[in-house]
Amino acid sequence: MARRFYVQGASKLEIADEFGMSRFKVARMLDTALDTGLVRIEFDLPAPIDVELSDDIRRAYRLDRVLVLERASETEPREIVRKQVGALAARLLEEIATPDDVIGLSWARSVNAMTEAIRTLPRCPIVQLCGVQAGMDMRGRSVETVSRVTSVSGGDSYPIFGPLVLPDRRTTEILRHQPGIAETFAQFGKLTKAVVSIGSWEAGESTVYDALDEAERAAIAARGATAEVAARLFDADGNSLGTGLAHHVLAISHEELMSVPEVIAIGYSRPKAEAVDAVLRSGLVSTLVTDAAAAVPLLELARARPLPS
């Protein structure tokens, strides 16, 4: 009976007819098989998920999916948490990607961790969403991230061989019209899925923040910057924040990013809770991958200030 039900997928009613007994007795016998250890159910997950917290966050922000990594110990290194969160995102992307997709990737340490954990993808184009942060070694750069995923999918690669932040608008426009970069920018309107990281507007928590000088950081903070995604800024209410920065970064535009049908956002750790809240309020994100350290305060923020109905 257990083999028919758990392995072959027969219903309890079908099994009852085969064995000449009621489906209620079949149900009791299957329960006994679990209780006695005759049948064991295991979940092959890259890391433990807090199902209840995941569902609470999903409902509070009206998302399609939420994966919350269970609370790590207080001494768990952040690098380990990053790898676990990245592995969750990798497993998700492996499950939902199709040959019809055009997948965009932003640079971030968490997205990089995801790409290192990906083992299989259908053949589809992989598009870089923003330029390279100065000072990063080649292994961590966004072009290398795109290259790794393309080597798994076997699809076309659309990198951006240029810096993330440029000195002025004129230089940015010149580079955007360079053949290789222009070809990548032309893919932004075709994206069906994007994997991005949520950064908070503070040192060490945002790629763009770390790439600017102190005066620019302070000026943007004074405008109300709370969160950053692929070099696009959001205030605490989830509104797009217009600053001069938009004109001297090589990155997907806010409008193009908002038009992507499915956006998987990675945002973890307590310092990023407010930033994650801001981005979720924007309507950009369909799927969130996070950890309990961010999710617990995130849920408190959602309950203190519910989304408008």
Side-chain angles (χ1 to χ4, degrees):
M1 287 183 187
R3 181 175 179 79
R4 290 283 289 122
F5 183 73
Y6 289 107
V7 178
Q8 298 175 342
S11 69
K12 293 175 184 177
L13 186 58
E14 290 172 332
I15 296 171
D17 289 341
E18 290 176 21
F19 286 85
M21 60 182 65
S22 74
R23 61 186 177 89
F24 301 105
K25 186 172 183 179
V26 170
R28 288 196 298 272
M29 294 182 74
L30 291 173
D31 287 341
T32 300
L34 284 172
D35 293 340
T36 60
L38 178 65
V39 172
R40 296 189 304 275
I41 297 175
E42 297 179 357
F43 295 93
D44 182 19
L45 298 172
I49 295 174
D50 188 322
V51 177
E52 184 176 355
L53 188 52
S54 298
D55 201 41
D56 288 343
I57 297 289
R58 181 188 61 79
R59 288 197 304 268
Y61 288 97
R62 302 170 197 160
L63 302 174
D64 294 337
R65 307 180 193 88
V66 174
L67 299 176
V68 177
L69 178 70
E70 281 188 353
R71 188 184 300 275
S73 71
E74 294 296 325
T75 59
E76 191 81 80
R78 191 168 183 181
E79 293 75 13
I80 299 300
V81 177
R82 182 186 302 132
K83 287 183 179 180
Q84 291 176 323
V85 170
L88 284 178
R91 183 65 59 85
L92 174 66
L93 189 61
E94 288 172 348
E95 290 180 358
I96 67 175
T98 73
D100 296 325
D101 279 323
V102 179
I103 300 174
L105 299 176
S106 70
W107 186 89
R109 286 180 289 267
S110 55
V111 177
N112 197 44
M114 181 202 74
T115 65
E116 291 179 343
I118 286 178
R119 297 293 176 263
T120 179
L121 277 180
R123 185 180 181 87
C124 59
I126 308 297
V127 182
Q128 186 176 328
L129 299 183
C130 46
V132 176
Q133 180 187 1
M136 297 303 300
D137 62 41
M138 192 60 192
R139 187 172 181 274
R141 290 182 177 183
S142 46
V143 288
E144 184 66 11
T145 297
V146 168
S147 175
R148 277 198 301 271
V149 180
T150 302
S151 70
V152 174
S153 75
D156 294 331
S157 175
Y158 294 92
I160 297 176
F161 290 101
L164 174 64
V165 180
L166 293 156
D168 52 54
R169 184 170 187 164
R170 183 173 179 275
T171 305
T172 304
E173 289 302 318
I174 290 172
L175 281 179
R176 283 180 180 175
H177 289 89
Q178 293 297 309
I181 295 175
E183 186 180 16
T184 295
F185 271 62
Q187 304 305 310
F188 292 160
K190 304 174 185 178
L191 294 171
T192 58
K193 290 182 174 66
V195 183
V196 300
S197 173
I198 298 174
S200 57
W201 198 246
E202 56 186 299
E205 302 294 343
S206 163
T207 304
V208 177
Y209 184 99
D210 293 341
L212 300 178
D213 61 38
E214 189 56 44
E216 289 178 295
R217 295 170 184 170
I220 291 173
R223 298 285 300 276
T226 299
E228 175 254 321
V229 174
R232 301 305 167 188
L233 304 179
F234 298 85
D235 67 16
D237 295 319
N239 300 312
S240 172
L241 194 61
T243 70
L245 177 65
H247 301 300
H248 64 107
V249 291
L250 279 180
I252 187 171
S253 71
H254 176 82
E255 293 74 21
E256 289 167 325
L257 191 57
M258 292 294 294
S259 296
V260 179
E262 185 157 11
V263 175
I264 301 167
I266 304 173
Y268 66 100
S269 78
R270 175 62 187 86
K272 288 190 178 180
E274 289 80 6
V276 174
D277 172 71
V279 175
L280 296 186
R281 291 178 186 278
S282 73
L284 167 68
V285 175
S286 52
T287 296
L288 174 68
V289 183
T290 186
D291 66 343
V296 171
L298 183 61
L299 188 57
E300 293 173 357
L301 290 167
R303 287 170 174 169
R305 201 158 58 103
L307 269 63
S309 56

